[in-house]
Amino acid sequence: MSLPVIEEGAKKSGVLWIGRRLAWHAWHDGAIYVVTGGGEQDLPGLSDSAEVDVTLRSKDNGAELVRFAASVEIVDQAAEPDAVAALAKERLNAPDAAGLTARWAAHSTVVRLTPR
């Protein structure tokens, strides 16, 4: 696994695979951030996992670019506003864009996936 390849792939593509689930995400400060629950993408069991398999695909042809293990950590959204803001920026077509991060704080879980 090469961190530069992971970073480039994560920055170029707005989606990735966590196990067999497709998820949108944001790359921020050396890690991948995703949000689950509270009306957002459903990623059951993610916040209870210690580690997950992540697959990034090429934006050009859809072929597998890199697959790697990532540690899972629940983010304290109040303590990491820059990471939450980066993730919110990637959320397309949110019905409540102005209140998005407040809704996440109340009803969703933000998770950091750090490549191992």
Side-chain angles (χ1 to χ4, degrees), residues 6-105:
I6 292 170
E7 180 176 2
E8 182 176 347
K11 284 180 175 180
K12 285 187 175 181
S13 178
V15 296
L16 52 71
W17 292 89
I18 300 171
R20 295 181 180 216
R21 297 237 181 223
L22 184 65
W24 60 271
H25 70 281
W27 177 266
H28 177 75
D29 200 23
I32 293 167
Y33 288 79
V34 296
V35 61
T36 182
E40 294 296 338
Q41 58 197 349
D42 187 25
L43 302 169
L46 178 62
S47 57
D48 297 325
S49 300
E51 184 175 284
V52 293
D53 290 324
V54 177
T55 303
L56 292 168
R57 298 196 174 272
S58 169
K59 191 171 183 177
D60 297 329
N61 62 18
E64 183 176 304
L65 181 65
V66 63
R67 183 182 306 228
F68 58 94
S71 61
V72 177
E73 184 179 356
I74 295 174
V75 172
D76 178 344
Q77 296 179 52
E80 295 195 46
D82 291 345
V84 174
L87 186 57
K89 182 179 172 188
E90 297 299 322
R91 174 58 164 100
L92 302 177
N93 303 317
D96 59 345
L100 183 63
T101 58
R103 178 170 54 86
W104 287 355

